[in-house]
Coordinates of all heavy atoms in Angstrom, one line a residue:
M14 N 114.0 112.3 81.9 CA 114.3 111.4 83.0 C 115.7 110.9 83.0 O 116.3 110.6 81.9 CB 113.3 110.2 82.9 CG 113.5 109.1 83.9 SD 112.6 109.6 85.4 CE 113.2 108.4 86.6
A15 N 116.4 110.8 84.1 CA 117.7 110.4 84.2 C 117.9 108.9 83.9 O 117.0 108.2 84.2 CB 118.3 110.7 85.6
T16 N 119.0 108.6 83.4 CA 119.3 107.2 83.1 C 120.5 106.7 83.9 O 121.3 107.6 84.3 CB 119.5 106.9 81.6 OG1 120.7 107.7 81.2 CG2 118.3 107.3 80.8
G17 N 120.7 105.4 84.1 CA 121.8 105.0 84.8 C 121.8 105.5 86.2 O 120.8 105.5 86.9
R18 N 122.9 106.1 86.7 CA 123.0 106.7 88.0 C 123.1 108.2 87.9 O 123.5 108.9 88.9 CB 124.3 106.1 88.7 CG 124.3 104.6 88.9 CD 123.1 104.1 89.6 NE 123.0 104.6 90.9 CZ 122.3 104.2 91.9 NH1 121.4 103.2 91.7 NH2 122.3 104.7 93.1
D19 N 122.6 108.8 86.8 CA 122.7 110.2 86.6 C 121.8 110.9 87.7 O 122.1 112.1 88.0 CB 122.1 110.6 85.2 CG 123.1 110.2 84.1 OD1 124.3 109.9 84.4 OD2 122.6 110.1 83.0
E20 N 120.8 110.3 88.2 CA 120.0 110.9 89.2 C 120.7 111.4 90.5 O 120.3 112.3 91.2 CB 118.8 110.1 89.6 CG 119.0 109.1 90.7 CD 119.7 107.7 90.3 OE1 119.9 107.6 89.1 OE2 119.9 106.9 91.1
L21 N 121.9 110.7 90.7 CA 122.7 111.1 91.9 C 123.3 112.4 91.9 O 123.7 113.0 92.9 CB 123.7 110.0 92.2 CG 123.2 108.6 92.4 CD1 124.4 107.6 92.6 CD2 122.3 108.5 93.6
T22 N 123.3 113.0 90.7 CA 123.8 114.4 90.6 C 122.8 115.4 90.2 O 123.1 116.6 90.0 CB 125.0 114.4 89.5 OG1 124.5 114.0 88.2 CG2 126.2 113.6 89.9
S23 N 121.5 114.9 90.1 CA 120.5 115.8 89.7 C 120.1 116.8 90.9 O 120.3 116.5 92.0 CB 119.2 115.1 89.3 OG 118.6 114.5 90.4
Y24 N 119.6 117.9 90.5 CA 119.1 118.9 91.6 C 118.1 118.3 92.5 O 118.1 118.4 93.7 CB 118.6 120.1 90.9 CG 118.1 121.2 91.8 CD1 119.0 122.0 92.5 CD2 116.7 121.4 92.0 CE1 118.5 122.9 93.4 CE2 116.3 122.3 92.9 CZ 117.2 123.1 93.6 OH 116.7 124.0 94.5
E25 N 117.1 117.6 91.9 CA 116.1 116.9 92.6 C 116.6 116.0 93.7 O 116.2 116.0 94.9 CB 115.1 116.2 91.7 CG 113.9 115.6 92.4 CD 113.0 114.8 91.5 OE1 113.3 114.7 90.3 OE2 112.0 114.4 91.9
Y26 N 117.6 115.1 93.3 CA 118.2 114.2 94.2 C 118.9 114.9 95.3 O 118.8 114.6 96.5 CB 119.1 113.2 93.5 CG 119.8 112.3 94.5 CD1 119.2 111.2 95.0 CD2 121.1 112.6 94.9 CE1 119.9 110.4 95.9 CE2 121.8 111.8 95.8 CZ 121.2 110.7 96.3 OH 121.8 109.9 97.1
R27 N 119.7 115.9 95.0 CA 120.5 116.7 96.0 C 119.6 117.3 97.0 O 119.9 117.4 98.2 CB 121.4 117.7 95.3 CG 122.6 117.0 94.6 CD 123.5 117.9 93.9 NE 122.8 118.6 92.8 CZ 123.0 119.8 92.4 NH1 123.9 120.5 92.9 NH2 122.3 120.3 91.4
Q28 N 118.5 117.9 96.5 CA 117.5 118.5 97.5 C 116.9 117.5 98.4 O 116.7 117.7 99.6 CB 116.4 119.2 96.7 CG 116.9 120.5 95.9 CD 117.4 121.5 96.9 OE1 118.5 121.7 97.1 NE2 116.4 122.3 97.5
L29 N 116.5 116.3 97.8 CA 115.9 115.2 98.6 C 116.9 114.7 99.6 O 116.6 114.5 100.8 CB 115.5 114.1 97.6 CG 114.7 113.0 98.2 CD1 113.5 113.4 98.9 CD2 114.3 112.0 97.1
R30 N 118.2 114.5 99.2 CA 119.2 114.1 100.1 C 119.4 115.0 101.3 O 119.5 114.6 102.4 CB 120.5 113.9 99.3 CG 121.7 113.5 100.2 CD 123.0 113.6 99.3 NE 124.1 113.3 100.1 CZ 124.8 114.2 100.8 NH1 124.4 115.4 100.8 NH2 125.9 113.8 101.5
A31 N 119.4 116.3 101.0 CA 119.6 117.3 102.0 C 118.4 117.3 103.0 O 118.6 117.4 104.2 CB 119.8 118.7 101.4
R32 N 117.2 117.1 102.5 CA 116.0 117.1 103.3 C 116.1 115.9 104.3 O 115.8 115.9 105.5 CB 114.8 117.0 102.5 CG 113.5 117.2 103.4 CD 112.2 117.1 102.6 NE 111.8 115.7 102.7 CZ 111.1 115.0 101.8 NH1 110.7 115.6 100.7 NH2 110.7 113.8 102.0
I33 N 116.4 114.7 103.7 CA 116.5 113.5 104.5 C 117.5 113.6 105.6 O 117.3 113.2 106.8 CB 116.7 112.3 103.6 CG1 115.5 112.0 102.8 CG2 117.1 111.0 104.4 CD1 115.6 111.0 101.7
L34 N 118.7 114.1 105.3 CA 119.7 114.3 106.3 C 119.4 115.4 107.3 O 119.9 115.3 108.5 CB 121.1 114.6 105.6 CG 121.7 113.4 104.8 CD1 122.9 113.8 104.1 CD2 122.0 112.2 105.8
R35 N 118.6 116.4 106.9 CA 118.1 117.4 107.9 C 117.2 116.7 108.9 O 117.2 117.1 110.1 CB 117.4 118.5 107.2 CG 118.2 119.8 107.1 CD 117.3 120.9 106.6 NE 116.3 120.7 105.7 CZ 116.4 120.7 104.3 NH1 117.6 121.0 103.8 NH2 115.4 120.4 103.5
E36 N 116.3 115.8 108.4 CA 115.3 115.2 109.3 C 116.0 114.2 110.3 O 115.5 114.1 111.4 CB 114.3 114.5 108.5 CG 113.4 115.5 107.7 CD 112.5 114.8 106.7 OE1 112.6 113.5 106.6 OE2 111.8 115.5 106.0
S37 N 117.0 113.5 109.8 CA 117.7 112.5 110.7 C 119.0 112.2 110.1 O 119.2 112.1 108.9 CB 116.9 111.3 110.8 OG 117.6 110.3 111.5
D38 N 120.0 112.0 111.0 CA 121.3 111.6 110.5 C 121.7 110.2 111.1 O 122.8 109.8 111.1 CB 122.4 112.6 110.8 CG 122.7 112.7 112.3 OD1 122.0 112.1 113.1 OD2 123.8 113.3 112.6
V39 N 120.7 109.5 111.6 CA 120.9 108.1 112.1 C 120.9 107.1 111.0 O 120.0 106.9 110.3 CB 119.8 107.8 113.2 CG1 120.0 106.4 113.7 CG2 119.8 108.8 114.3
C40 N 122.0 106.4 111.0 CA 122.3 105.4 109.9 C 121.3 104.2 110.0 O 121.1 103.7 111.1 CB 123.7 104.9 110.0 SG 124.2 103.7 108.8
I41 N 120.8 103.8 108.8 CA 119.8 102.7 108.8 C 120.5 101.4 109.0 O 119.9 100.4 109.3 CB 119.0 102.7 107.5 CG1 120.0 102.5 106.3 CG2 118.1 103.8 107.4 CD1 119.3 102.3 105.0
V42 N 121.9 101.3 108.9 CA 122.6 100.0 109.1 C 123.1 99.9 110.5 O 122.8 98.9 111.1 CB 123.7 99.9 108.1 CG1 124.6 98.7 108.4 CG2 123.2 99.8 106.6
C43 N 123.8 100.8 111.0 CA 124.4 100.7 112.3 C 123.7 101.4 113.5 O 123.9 101.1 114.6 CB 125.9 101.1 112.3 SG 126.2 102.9 112.2
G44 N 122.8 102.3 113.1 CA 122.1 103.0 114.1 C 122.8 104.2 114.8 O 122.2 104.8 115.7
H45 N 124.0 104.5 114.4 CA 124.7 105.6 114.9 C 124.4 106.9 114.1 O 124.1 106.8 112.9 CB 126.2 105.4 114.9 CG 126.6 104.2 115.8 ND1 127.4 103.2 115.3 CD2 126.3 103.9 117.1 CE1 127.6 102.3 116.3 NE2 126.9 102.8 117.4
G46 N 124.6 108.1 114.7 CA 124.4 109.3 114.1 C 125.6 109.7 113.1 O 126.5 108.9 112.9
A47 N 125.5 110.9 112.6 CA 126.5 111.5 111.8 C 126.6 110.9 110.4 O 127.6 110.9 109.7 CB 127.9 111.4 112.4
S48 N 125.5 110.4 109.9 CA 125.4 109.8 108.5 C 125.7 111.0 107.5 O 125.2 112.1 107.8 CB 124.1 109.2 108.2 OG 123.9 108.0 108.9
D49 N 126.4 110.7 106.5 CA 126.7 111.8 105.5 C 126.2 111.5 104.1 O 126.6 112.1 103.1 CB 128.3 112.0 105.5 CG 129.0 110.7 105.1 OD1 128.4 109.6 105.1 OD2 130.2 110.8 104.9
A50 N 125.4 110.4 104.0 CA 124.9 110.0 102.7 C 123.5 109.4 102.9 O 123.1 109.2 104.0 CB 125.8 109.0 102.1
V51 N 122.8 109.2 101.8 CA 121.5 108.5 101.8 C 121.6 107.3 100.8 O 122.4 107.3 99.9 CB 120.3 109.4 101.4 CG1 120.2 110.5 102.4 CG2 120.4 110.0 100.0
D52 N 120.8 106.3 101.1 CA 120.9 105.1 100.3 C 119.4 104.6 100.1 O 118.6 104.9 100.9 CB 121.7 104.0 101.0 CG 122.0 102.9 100.0 OD1 122.1 103.1 98.8 OD2 122.2 101.7 100.5
H53 N 119.3 103.9 99.1 CA 118.0 103.3 98.8 C 117.7 102.1 99.7 O 118.6 101.2 99.8 CB 117.9 102.8 97.3 CG 118.0 103.9 96.4 ND1 119.2 104.3 95.8 CD2 117.0 104.8 95.9 CE1 118.9 105.3 95.0 NE2 117.6 105.6 95.0
I54 N 116.6 102.1 100.4 CA 116.3 101.0 101.3 C 116.1 99.7 100.5 O 116.6 98.7 100.8 CB 115.0 101.4 102.1 CG1 115.3 102.6 103.0 CG2 114.5 100.2 103.0 CD1 114.1 103.2 103.6
T55 N 115.2 99.8 99.5 CA 115.1 98.7 98.5 C 115.9 99.2 97.3 O 115.6 100.2 96.7 CB 113.7 98.5 98.1 OG1 112.9 98.2 99.2 CG2 113.5 97.4 97.1
P56 N 117.0 98.5 97.0 CA 117.9 98.9 95.9 C 117.2 99.1 94.6 O 116.2 98.3 94.3 CB 118.9 97.7 95.8 CG 118.9 97.1 97.1 CD 117.5 97.2 97.6
V57 N 117.6 100.0 93.8 CA 117.0 100.3 92.5 C 117.1 99.0 91.6 O 116.2 98.7 90.9 CB 117.7 101.5 91.8 CG1 117.2 101.7 90.4 CG2 117.4 102.8 92.6
S58 N 118.2 98.3 91.8 CA 118.4 97.1 91.0 C 117.4 96.0 91.4 O 117.2 95.0 90.6 CB 119.8 96.6 91.2 OG 120.1 96.2 92.5
K59 N 116.8 96.1 92.5 CA 115.8 95.1 93.0 C 114.4 95.7 92.9 O 113.4 95.2 93.5 CB 116.1 94.8 94.4 CG 117.5 94.3 94.7 CD 117.7 92.9 94.2 CE 119.0 92.4 94.8 NZ 120.0 92.1 93.8
G60 N 114.2 96.8 92.1 CA 112.8 97.4 91.9 C 112.5 98.6 92.8 O 111.4 99.1 92.7
G61 N 113.4 99.1 93.6 CA 113.2 100.2 94.4 C 113.1 101.5 93.6 O 113.7 101.6 92.5
A62 N 112.3 102.5 94.0 CA 112.1 103.7 93.3 C 113.4 104.6 93.5 O 113.9 104.7 94.6 CB 110.9 104.4 93.8
R63 N 113.8 105.2 92.5 CA 115.0 106.0 92.5 C 114.9 107.3 93.4 O 115.8 107.6 94.2 CB 115.4 106.5 91.1 CG 115.9 105.4 90.2 CD 116.4 105.9 88.9 NE 116.7 104.9 88.0 CZ 117.9 104.3 87.9 NH1 118.9 104.7 88.6 NH2 118.1 103.4 87.0
L64 N 113.8 108.0 93.2 CA 113.7 109.3 93.9 C 112.5 109.4 94.8 O 112.0 110.4 95.1 CB 113.6 110.4 92.8 CG 114.8 110.6 91.9 CD1 114.6 111.6 90.9 CD2 116.1 111.0 92.8
D65 N 112.1 108.2 95.3 CA 111.0 108.2 96.3 C 111.6 108.4 97.7 O 112.4 107.7 98.2 CB 110.3 106.8 96.3 CG 109.2 106.7 97.2 OD1 108.9 107.7 98.0 OD2 108.6 105.6 97.3
P66 N 111.1 109.5 98.4 CA 111.7 109.8 99.7 C 111.4 108.6 100.7 O 112.2 108.5 101.6 CB 110.9 111.0 100.2 CG 110.0 111.4 99.1 CD 110.2 110.5 98.0
D67 N 110.4 107.8 100.5 CA 110.2 106.7 101.4 C 111.1 105.6 101.1 O 111.2 104.6 101.9 CB 108.7 106.2 101.2 CG 107.7 107.2 101.7 OD1 108.0 108.0 102.6 OD2 106.6 107.2 101.2
N68 N 111.9 105.6 100.0 CA 112.8 104.6 99.7 C 114.3 105.0 100.0 O 115.2 104.4 99.6 CB 112.7 104.1 98.3 CG 113.5 102.8 98.0 OD1 113.5 101.9 98.9 ND2 114.1 102.8 96.8
L69 N 114.4 106.2 100.6 CA 115.8 106.7 100.8 C 115.9 106.9 102.3 O 115.0 107.4 103.0 CB 116.0 108.1 100.1 CG 116.1 108.0 98.6 CD1 116.0 109.3 98.0 CD2 117.4 107.3 98.2
A70 N 117.1 106.6 102.9 CA 117.4 106.8 104.3 C 118.8 107.1 104.5 O 119.7 106.8 103.7 CB 117.0 105.5 105.0
P71 N 119.2 107.8 105.7 CA 120.6 108.1 106.0 C 121.4 106.8 106.1 O 121.0 105.8 106.6 CB 120.5 108.8 107.3 CG 119.0 109.2 107.4 CD 118.2 108.2 106.7
I72 N 122.7 107.0 105.7 CA 123.6 105.9 105.8 C 125.0 106.5 105.9 O 125.2 107.6 105.4 CB 123.5 104.9 104.7 CG1 124.2 103.6 105.0 CG2 124.0 105.5 103.4 CD1 123.8 102.4 104.0
H73 N 126.0 105.8 106.5 CA 127.4 106.3 106.5 C 128.0 105.9 105.1 O 127.9 104.8 104.7 CB 128.2 105.6 107.6 CG 127.7 106.1 108.9 ND1 127.0 105.3 109.8 CD2 127.8 107.3 109.5 CE1 126.8 106.0 110.9 NE2 127.2 107.2 110.8
G74 N 128.6 106.9 104.5 CA 129.1 106.8 103.2 C 130.6 106.3 103.1 O 131.0 105.5 103.9
V75 N 131.3 106.9 102.3 CA 132.7 106.5 102.0 C 133.6 106.5 103.3 O 134.4 105.7 103.5 CB 133.3 107.4 100.9 CG1 134.8 107.1 100.7 CG2 132.6 107.3 99.6
D76 N 133.4 107.6 104.1 CA 134.3 107.7 105.3 C 133.9 106.7 106.4 O 134.7 106.5 107.3 CB 134.2 109.1 105.9 CG 134.9 110.1 104.9 OD1 135.8 109.7 104.1 OD2 134.4 111.3 104.9
G77 N 132.7 106.1 106.4 CA 132.3 105.1 107.3 C 131.8 105.8 108.6 O 131.7 107.0 108.8
C78 N 131.4 105.0 109.6 CA 130.8 105.4 110.8 C 131.9 105.9 111.8 O 132.9 105.1 112.0 CB 130.0 104.3 111.5 SG 129.3 104.8 113.1
P79 N 131.8 107.1 112.3 CA 132.9 107.5 113.3 C 132.8 106.8 114.6 O 133.8 106.8 115.4 CB 132.6 109.0 113.5 CG 131.1 109.2 113.1 CD 130.8 108.1 112.1
V80 N 131.7 106.1 114.9 CA 131.6 105.4 116.2 C 132.0 103.9 116.1 O 132.9 103.5 116.8 CB 130.1 105.4 116.7 CG1 129.9 104.7 118.0 CG2 129.7 106.9 116.9
C81 N 131.4 103.2 115.2 CA 131.8 101.7 115.1 C 132.7 101.4 113.9 O 133.1 100.2 113.8 CB 130.5 100.9 115.0 SG 129.6 101.1 113.4
L82 N 133.0 102.4 113.1 CA 134.0 102.3 112.0 C 133.5 101.4 110.9 O 134.3 101.0 110.0 CB 135.4 101.8 112.5 CG 135.9 102.6 113.7 CD1 137.3 102.1 114.1 CD2 136.1 104.1 113.2
R83 N 132.2 101.0 110.9 CA 131.7 100.2 109.8 C 131.6 101.0 108.5 O 131.4 102.2 108.5 CB 130.3 99.7 110.1 CG 130.3 98.6 111.1 CD 128.8 98.3 111.4 NE 128.4 97.3 110.5 CZ 127.2 96.7 110.6 NH1 126.4 96.9 111.5 NH2 126.8 95.8 109.7
K84 N 131.8 100.4 107.4 CA 131.6 101.1 106.1 C 130.1 100.6 105.7 O 130.0 99.7 104.9 CB 132.6 100.6 105.1 CG 134.0 100.8 105.5 CD 134.3 102.3 105.5 CE 135.8 102.5 105.7 NZ 136.2 103.9 105.8
C85 N 129.2 101.3 106.3 CA 127.8 100.9 106.2 C 127.3 100.8 104.7 O 126.6 99.8 104.4 CB 126.9 101.8 107.0 SG 127.4 101.8 108.7
N86 N 127.5 101.8 103.9 CA 127.0 101.7 102.5 C 127.7 100.6 101.7 O 127.0 99.9 101.0 CB 127.2 103.1 101.9 CG 126.3 103.3 100.6 OD1 125.4 102.5 100.4 ND2 126.5 104.3 99.9
S87 N 129.0 100.4 102.0 CA 129.7 99.3 101.3 C 129.2 98.0 101.7 O 129.0 97.1 100.9 CB 131.2 99.4 101.5 OG 131.7 100.6 101.0
E88 N 128.9 97.8 103.0 CA 128.4 96.6 103.6 C 127.0 96.3 103.0 O 126.7 95.1 102.7 CB 128.3 96.6 105.1 CG 129.7 96.4 105.7 CD 129.6 96.4 107.2 OE1 128.5 95.9 107.7 OE2 130.5 96.8 107.9
K89 N 126.2 97.3 102.9 CA 124.8 97.1 102.4 C 124.9 96.7 100.9 O 124.2 95.8 100.5 CB 124.0 98.3 102.6 CG 122.5 98.1 102.2 CD 121.7 99.3 102.5 CE 120.3 99.1 101.9 NZ 120.2 99.0 100.4
G90 N 125.7 97.4 100.2 CA 125.8 97.1 98.7 C 124.4 97.2 98.1 O 123.6 98.2 98.3
D91 N 124.1 96.3 97.2 CA 122.8 96.3 96.6 C 121.8 95.3 97.2 O 120.9 94.8 96.5 CB 122.9 96.0 95.1 CG 123.3 94.6 94.7 OD1 123.7 93.9 95.6 OD2 123.1 94.2 93.6
R92 N 122.0 95.0 98.5 CA 121.1 94.1 99.2 C 120.0 94.9 99.8 O 120.2 96.0 100.3 CB 121.9 93.3 100.2 CG 122.9 92.4 99.6 CD 123.6 91.6 100.7 NE 124.4 92.5 101.6 CZ 124.9 92.2 102.7 NH1 124.7 91.0 103.2 NH2 125.6 93.1 103.4
P93 N 118.8 94.3 100.0 CA 117.8 94.9 100.7 C 118.2 95.0 102.2 O 119.0 94.3 102.7 CB 116.6 94.0 100.6 CG 116.9 93.1 99.4 CD 118.4 93.0 99.3
L94 N 117.7 96.0 102.9 CA 118.0 96.3 104.2 C 117.9 95.1 105.2 O 118.7 94.9 106.0 CB 117.2 97.5 104.8 CG 117.6 98.0 106.1 CD1 119.1 98.5 106.2 CD2 116.7 99.2 106.5
N95 N 116.8 94.3 105.0 CA 116.6 93.2 105.9 C 117.7 92.1 105.7 O 117.7 91.1 106.5 CB 115.2 92.6 105.7 CG 115.0 92.1 104.3 OD1 115.8 92.1 103.4 ND2 113.8 91.6 104.1
E96 N 118.5 92.2 104.7 CA 119.6 91.2 104.6 C 120.9 91.7 105.1 O 121.9 90.9 105.1 CB 119.8 90.9 103.1 CG 118.7 90.1 102.4 CD 118.9 89.8 101.0 OE1 120.1 89.9 100.5 OE2 118.0 89.5 100.3
V97 N 121.0 92.9 105.7 CA 122.2 93.4 106.3 C 122.2 93.2 107.8 O 121.2 93.4 108.4 CB 122.3 94.9 106.0 CG1 123.5 95.5 106.6 CG2 122.2 95.2 104.5
L98 N 123.3 92.7 108.3 CA 123.4 92.4 109.7 C 123.5 93.6 110.5 O 124.3 94.5 110.2 CB 124.6 91.5 110.0 CG 124.6 90.1 109.4 CD1 125.9 89.4 109.7 CD2 123.5 89.3 109.9
Y99 N 122.7 93.7 111.6 CA 122.8 94.8 112.5 C 123.9 94.7 113.5 O 124.3 93.5 113.8 CB 121.5 95.0 113.3 CG 120.3 95.5 112.4 CD1 119.3 94.7 112.0 CD2 120.3 96.9 112.0 CE1 118.3 95.2 111.2 CE2 119.3 97.3 111.2 CZ 118.3 96.5 110.8 OH 117.3 97.0 110.0
L100 N 124.5 95.8 113.9 CA 125.6 95.8 114.9 C 125.0 95.5 116.3 O 124.1 96.1 116.7 CB 126.2 97.1 114.8 CG 127.4 97.3 115.8 CD1 128.6 96.4 115.3 CD2 127.9 98.8 115.7
N101 N 125.6 94.5 117.0 CA 125.2 94.3 118.4 C 126.0 95.1 119.3 O 127.2 94.9 119.3 CB 125.3 92.8 118.7 CG 124.4 91.9 117.9 OD1 123.2 92.3 117.7 ND2 124.8 90.8 117.4
T102 N 125.4 96.0 120.1 CA 126.1 96.8 121.0 C 125.4 96.8 122.3 O 124.3 96.2 122.5 CB 126.2 98.3 120.5 OG1 124.8 98.8 120.5 CG2 126.8 98.4 119.1
S103 N 126.0 97.4 123.3 CA 125.4 97.5 124.6 C 124.2 98.5 124.7 O 123.4 98.5 125.6 CB 126.4 97.9 125.7 OG 126.9 99.1 125.4
V104 N 124.1 99.3 123.6 CA 123.0 100.3 123.5 C 122.1 99.9 122.4 O 122.6 99.6 121.3 CB 123.6 101.7 123.3 CG1 122.4 102.7 123.1 CG2 124.4 102.1 124.5
D105 N 120.8 99.8 122.6 CA 119.9 99.5 121.5 C 119.6 100.8 120.8 O 118.7 101.6 121.2 CB 118.6 98.9 122.0 CG 117.7 98.4 120.9 OD1 118.0 98.7 119.7 OD2 116.6 97.9 121.2
W106 N 120.3 101.1 119.7 CA 120.2 102.4 119.0 C 118.9 102.5 118.2 O 118.5 103.5 117.8 CB 121.4 102.5 118.0 CG 122.7 102.6 118.7 CD1 123.5 101.6 118.9 CD2 123.2 103.8 119.3 NE1 124.6 102.1 119.6 CE2 124.5 103.4 119.9 CE3 122.8 105.1 119.4 CZ2 125.3 104.3 120.5 CZ3 123.7 106.0 120.0 CH2 124.9 105.6 120.6
F107 N 118.2 101.4 118.0 CA 117.0 101.4 117.3 C 115.7 101.5 118.2 O 114.6 101.5 117.7 CB 116.9 100.1 116.4 CG 118.0 100.0 115.4 CD1 119.1 99.2 115.7 CD2 117.9 100.7 114.2 CE1 120.2 99.2 114.8 CE2 119.0 100.6 113.3 CZ 120.1 99.9 113.6
A108 N 115.9 101.5 119.5 CA 114.8 101.5 120.4 C 114.1 102.9 120.5 O 112.9 103.0 120.8 CB 115.3 101.1 121.8
G109 N 114.8 103.9 120.1 CA 114.2 105.3 120.2 C 114.3 105.9 121.6 O 114.9 105.2 122.5
P110 N 113.8 107.1 121.8 CA 114.0 107.8 123.1 C 113.2 107.2 124.2 O 112.3 106.4 124.1 CB 113.6 109.2 122.8 CG 112.9 109.2 121.5 CD 113.2 107.9 120.8

């Protein structure tokens, strides 16, 4: 079993990350597409499962969102998703089709 943050380079994590991004690239923080990373919905430091696909979701990583320019992963940090402020726009990105 991986310790620390070693799971982020494991084969299992990379496969899981690729699968999640294949299924959707809509960021859990800002709601825009083109996410290039995945993040834990419930942070591992707060008891979230490291490699549970239900605890991982797309998020904009180091380069940030190409639409709203937020640094979504940095803004979220180790806070649970419900503590992160959603972006208010003229389009409700979370409403679905």
